[in-house]
Amino acid sequence: MSVNTSKSEVMVFFKQWATRTQTIRYNGQRLKEVPEFVYLGVVFNNKGIKSSITAAIKRRANKARN
């Protein structure tokens, strides 16, 4: 398996009071850390799920219309 580190992103789930000082690396390359991402139409952020299933369905329908 090969990993394209320029296209790879990571998101770390943590509690608000926790502090993070480490970076995540793969083969010495630092991976971009993002605060949220969309997976199967559901928006996740580093504190959990951001949107409801209803919002995800609406977002998919709008995307299909475009």
Side-chain angles (χ1 to χ4, degrees), residues 4 10 12 15 20-21 24 28-29 44 49 51 56 63:
N4 186 337
V10 296
V12 178
K15 297 182 186 256
R20 290 198 68 257
T21 57
I24 298 175
Q29 296 282 329
F44 290 83
I49 298 174
S51 65
K63 196 171 186 178

Side-chain angles (χ1 to χ4, degrees), residues 27-46:
N27 282 345
Q29 296 282 329
R30 183 178 180 180
L31 298 178
K32 179 182 176 185
E33 189 172 323
V34 294
E36 67 181 30
F37 72 95
V38 179
Y39 179 72
L40 298 177
V42 178
V43 179
F44 290 83
N45 68 19
N46 57 10

